[in-house]
Amino acid sequence: MTDPYAIQPSELDQLPDRDPEETAEWRASLDAVAREAGPHRAAYLMRRTLERAEGNGISLPRLTETDYVNTIPTAAEPPVPGDEEMERRITAWNRWNAAAMVTRGSKHGVGGHIATFASAAWLYETGFNHFFKGKEADGSGDQLYIQGHASPGIYARAFLDGRLDEARLDNFRQEAGGNGLPSYPHPRRLPWLWEFPTVSMGLGPLSAIYQARFNRYLTNRGIKDLSASHVWAFLGDGEMDEPESTAALALAAREELDNLTFVINCNLQRLDGPVRANFKIVQELEAQFRGAGWNVVKSLWGSAWDELFALDTTGALVRRLRQVPDAQVQTYQTRDAAYIRQDFFGADPALVEMAKLLSDDKILECFHLSRGGHEPRKVYAAYKAAVEHKGAPTVILAQTVKGHTLGQGFASKNANHQMKKLAVDEFKTMRDLLELPISDAQFADGVVPYGHPGADSPEVRYLQERRAALGGPAPARRVHPLAPLPAPAEKAFASFDKGSGSQNVATTMAFVRLIKDLVRDKETGKRWVPIVPDEARTFGMESLFPSLGIYSPKGQTYEPVDRDQLMYYKEAKNGQILNEGITEAGSMADFIAASTAYATHGEAMIPFYIFYSMFGWQRTADQMWQLGDQLGRGFLVGATAGRTTLTGEGLQHADGHSPVIAATNPAALSYDPAFAYEIATIVKDGLRRMYGETAPGEDPNVFYYLTVYNEPLPQPAKPSGVGIDEGILKGLYRFNTAESAGLSPVANAPRIQLLGSGTAIHWALEAQRLLAEDWGVAADVWSATSWTELRRDALQADAALLRGEERVPYVRQALHGAEGPVLAVSDYMRQVPDQIAQWVEQDWSSLGADGFGLSDTRVAARRHFGVDAQSIVVAALAQLAKRGEVKAAAVKEAREKYGL
């Protein structure tokens, strides 16, 4: 008979065995344990052996999953410094006020979330009392990414601390009056408190990883020593389903970011029900993080479980805990002891015997209340282990009950995420449970009172003393007064005013040349942070590799294959370039960390992130909103832009819509420059506005989006005359007239105004020539550098009119008196130029590249979309024919002449 527990040697062993006899003895020993003590005992010994090997540095594949128990046993837990009873009282007040604030707000129909903070209260309080460093601590203090739905608890703590008053709490989610509180962490809405916007699920964990990495970047480059700063990201177990949540786990482990800790609140619930109804989310996350190379600390069970684990001499309890799916654990939370005895303990004879030793109260204490995330001693042990671990980031998987202390009507109920209030009786039950000195008389007219022990109470003094010892209030956002960065030398910009002569230069290359000059500036050069997602050679940036170096915390541990070349691939520990590989999301997270360093670290950094324009706003627009939310500053550059300009790449690469998406973001200043001198003018003014002397009424907390093209074309000299720079920055100026272009149409010739942006202006210039030479029409050509800025200015003028102020939109001022109709064209969908149509007093029409892209030559693609020079001529003649200024037959003749 075959021994079912025998371990059979593999038929093929890839690795040579230098001592087969010793190997056989090990196998025989394992067989014997499995036969005599059972397979579970054998598995236990194997796990412990592998853990021992890992602890001794023996190179083996890591265990990706451990038993469903706490990583740190009770006997190994360090004592919690401070006054645990005082901290319990502080936490009770914060629980109460968080629930009261949301309940009071519900009367106004503004909603709110109660259950999340109720589950996570001790995860935050333990950190605030013992770990989270404030802004006055070494480095820049710690960076805290707060779980969005837990914001009421953070407001409650700020109220206890004296940073918020009752009036602010009563304006939770009511911001229009200017004295409210945003629903979630939001620096733009509450800039003195929140550093990081986190409620867009998945972006918090991704950003936290890159923030920790950027801290190392600043340290290694000698900008600022941030070795004492730690990044803490508080996340929900349901949030980890977002792909961004786990997209950069390997990066954090690869770069040994032990300055980073994820705290995942495993209350086993997402918005509608269990996170993993038929499975175990904690085990899944453990395997995922361990597999990625993270240190994993599980804090699952409270001290009430110690007695049960001590009774588990057969391993039956641990086996059962691994078997029970999460949804059933939630059910236990809501059922009586009899049900738990039957369903949980009744599944194994050994557990039946164990249950006989347990009272009903003990069973209910364990299954209803006792979780690792609800006990400060357990949480403190996990946090201490995290900050002391070296060589890898740490994730803490803390099991909690969603709705803890809010009563059985809330705890673990599937609907508790949508439950916005407690009844008065439920508050009184909660008061008694938390032992708060709030009388029935304080519930005036059924309104739940806020609770506060007094500004000079022992609780408040203790809270403030703990924060003072840790470096001041937290969370907090500080923008220290920074001296404006000195403007780079004028010659870096002026060199583009002369044009390129006979040389054809793409605007992508013009931008890169400008950056090359700016990073050499002695004053500000080191502040630039070039970011590229593995396309530097596409954009002509490889010449920056040897001069700036590609950032790597390991430096360059190999000899590059192109070492003998001038532009070799150089990595360096103090490298300036962030080359992120093929990850637009990671590159954007880099950009956000760099663009907000002026506030996070008091260091003004100038990031520019250059990317295929199609893979920017279309893929990562949510992060660009996060960038605006976080008040980031810098330059986003959509290179190889346009729907018809990137030849041959086809639909997936053909960007005809990024300016439309960019226009939706109030913090984005979107430009589509046609010429190199326009790029220089925009970048120069952007540096002034974001990092230099901001003009009155200007907001420096903006970012620039520039589209640049890969089509080599002549770069003209900057026109002379008044108002050119103003027109470039405001979005429109006249580049030339038919006469200044050397075209001599007949006297009283029909005239039209051609507006072009980006590379499309070259088609407009060719159309200008054809109109004059073939049809006797005079055309003036305008460069529309920003349709979006023109529209925003016009909207502001409209708003001013409603206030009784007389103001004319800039676009109307610029075009005032221009003869004939206006025809606008761009390499984007017509919606882009049509943004300004209603403010143009002349007859308006537009051309654009609407629809899907396609693979072909530039000439063929432009003819396909009807935006080439000949198509512009036909459209111009059609406009003039409508006005009776050319014969209607001219339109048909033109179509036939040009083969349209």
Side-chain angles (χ1 to χ4, degrees), residues 270-471:
R270 50 189 179 198
L271 308 190
D272 287 332
V275 178
R276 292 291 183 273
N278 295 297
F279 306 94
K280 302 192 79 63
I281 185 60
V282 168
Q283 300 301 90
E284 179 182 318
L285 291 174
E286 178 184 29
Q288 195 168 15
F289 278 86
R290 281 183 176 273
W294 286 53
N295 175 46
V296 179
V297 177
K298 294 196 291 191
S299 183
L300 307 181
W301 307 112
S303 55
W305 283 82
D306 290 348
E307 180 183 341
L308 276 67
F309 288 123
L311 295 172
D312 185 29
T313 58
T314 65
L317 177 61
V318 173
R319 290 196 301 273
R320 183 65 178 140
L321 289 173
R322 285 173 60 88
Q323 293 167 357
V324 177
D326 284 351
Q328 190 63 20
V329 173
Q330 300 296 82
T331 298
Y332 294 149
Q333 175 69 34
T334 64
R335 302 301 291 269
D336 60 19
Y339 178 88
I340 298 171
R341 284 182 187 277
Q342 179 180 352
D343 191 86
F344 181 84
F345 292 98
D348 187 298
L351 293 180
V352 171
E353 294 303 311
M354 179 189 294
K356 293 177 181 178
L357 304 175
L358 304 173
S359 67
D360 285 355
D361 287 345
K362 181 65 176 181
I363 289 174
L364 293 179
E365 180 187 11
C366 289
F367 284 84
H368 284 191
L369 302 174
S370 188
R371 300 291 187 274
H374 294 324
E375 296 191 11
R377 185 183 176 96
K378 306 288 184 186
V379 176
Y380 180 87
Y383 286 8
K384 191 170 188 293
V387 296
E388 291 178 353
H389 186 82
K390 300 303 177 187
T394 294
V395 59
I396 295 169
L397 303 175
Q399 186 161 271
T400 66
V401 175
K402 193 167 186 176
H404 183 60
T405 73
L406 298 180
Q408 286 300 100
F410 257 85
S412 293
K413 294 297 176 67
N414 284 339
N416 63 19
H417 189 80
Q418 280 70 39
M419 297 165 71
K420 312 300 182 186
K421 59 185 178 180
L422 291 174
V424 169
D425 287 345
E426 290 173 313
F427 266 106
K428 290 178 179 178
T429 301
M430 180 183 176
R431 170 200 63 190
D432 297 340
L433 175 66
L434 298 176
E435 299 177 347
L436 291 172
I438 297 174
S439 68
D440 288 354
Q442 291 176 260
F443 289 83
D445 300 321
V447 177
V448 180
Y450 293 118
H452 199 293
D456 195 40
S457 65
E459 291 93 334
V460 172
R461 288 200 307 271
Y462 181 88
L463 182 155
Q464 293 175 342
E465 287 167 2
R466 292 304 309 141
R467 290 312 315 156
L470 288 165

Side-chain angles (χ1 to χ4, degrees), residues 709-733:
Y709 299 82
N710 73 325
E711 184 174 14
L713 290 165
Q715 296 297 324
K718 187 176 185 178
S720 58
V722 178
I724 298 298
D725 283 359
E726 179 189 29
I728 291 171
L729 298 174
K730 288 194 171 183
L732 184 68
Y733 69 97

